[in-house]
Amino acid sequence: MLRAGGPRATAELIVRGEVPVDTPRVPAREAAERELSDPVYREHEPNLLQRAIDAFWDWVTGLFDGFSGGPGGPAGLVVIVLVVVALGAALWWRLGKPQRTPPAPDSLFADGPRSAAEHRAAAEEHAAAGQWNQAVQERLRAVVRALEERALLTPRPGRTADEAAAEAGRALPQHADGLRTGARAFDDVTYGGRSADRGMYERLRDVDLAIERTKPSLETTAPGEPV
């Protein structure tokens, strides 16, 4: 027979070291096990993750202890270095290679001021070398610079290819579609990751040459601006 109070009271006595004299050993142990299996005794225990972290830091502490003194010091240092390298490699794999800040999407002219003729010459050099992306970029810059030189566009830092095409299309409505197509090609190869080809460049070159031969519409030219 257990004392009054039931299994819980008996288990508490056992935990405190006060084993009741009139309780057989086996039933007392079973009562204590049933009592201690109550989830209330485990709710403050660390979870699996916390135990793993504690075990890791105990391991690292042991390595430092070995490094600070004892025959295993150099080996502990080597292991620490390997752990640091492994962590760095894991971060590199997870985050990827650091990327440079991409150019702002409004930098139509990446270099300093150059004339339309200089941009055209650069475009032809790239085309002769089969570098169609650079050829398209330089040809559209030639178009925009030529329009600025003719005062059909006011030079403005930060103007995008789309903005230049829209503004020039108002002064040259017959070439508005070609200007939009050229601006889209410029954006595709500069920011969209697409590759240009000979046909794309030749269409933009034809737009450039056609605009050079075209007189702007007097109705859409601002007062006081030369034509």
Side-chain angles (χ1 to χ4, degrees):
M1 295 290 295
L2 295 175
R3 291 182 179 178
R8 183 182 294 269
T10 302
E12 291 176 354
L13 290 174
I14 294 173
V15 171
R16 295 199 301 266
E18 302 176 8
V19 181
V21 296
D22 58 347
T23 303
R25 179 174 298 178
V26 174
R29 185 179 66 246
E30 293 176 350
E33 290 174 351
R34 286 195 300 270
E35 179 64 24
L36 294 176
S37 65
D38 193 317
V40 71
Y41 292 103
R42 297 194 300 272
E43 63 182 9
H44 299 297
E45 292 182 357
N47 56 31
L48 181 60
L49 176 61
Q50 185 61 50
R51 291 199 298 271
I53 294 174
D54 292 341
F56 172 76
W57 284 115
D58 289 342
W59 176 69
V60 171
T61 302
L63 292 179
F64 276 108
D65 291 342
F67 173 66
S68 60
L77 177 61
V78 171
V79 173
I80 291 173
V81 171
L82 292 177
V83 169
V84 172
V85 172
L87 290 175
L91 289 174
W92 184 280
W93 176 82
R94 179 66 180 84
L95 300 178
K97 182 179 179 180
Q99 301 290 332
R100 292 183 178 181
T101 303
D106 57 359
S107 57
L108 177 59
F109 296 98
D111 302 327
R114 301 170 67 185
S115 68
E118 289 173 326
H119 284 297
R120 288 192 183 103
E124 289 297 310
E125 290 178 3
H126 287 304
Q131 300 169 343
W132 301 114
N133 283 12
Q134 295 89 332
V136 166
Q137 291 170 328
E138 288 298 325
R139 199 76 198 198
L140 185 75
R141 289 170 181 147
V143 171
V144 175
R145 185 66 78 204
L147 293 172
E148 292 177 348
E149 291 172 354
R150 295 172 65 186
L152 295 176
L153 287 178
T154 301
R156 176 165 59 84
R159 176 188 280 122
T160 66
D162 290 333
E163 291 171 345
E167 294 173 22
R170 290 192 287 271
L172 302 168
Q174 64 272 50
H175 297 296
D177 291 340
L179 287 165
R180 283 194 296 269
T181 300
R184 190 179 305 113
F186 179 92
D187 288 343
D188 286 345
V189 301
T190 305
Y191 313 114
R194 293 188 58 187
S195 297
D197 54 20
R198 179 188 297 273
M200 182 182 292
Y201 173 71
E202 290 180 348
R203 287 190 294 272
L204 183 54
R205 182 189 59 189
D206 293 343
V207 170
D208 182 23
L209 297 177
I211 289 176
E212 281 293 292
R213 297 190 296 266
T214 301
K215 189 174 182 179
S217 172
L218 295 178
E219 291 77 8
T220 55
T221 302
E225 290 186 346
V227 295

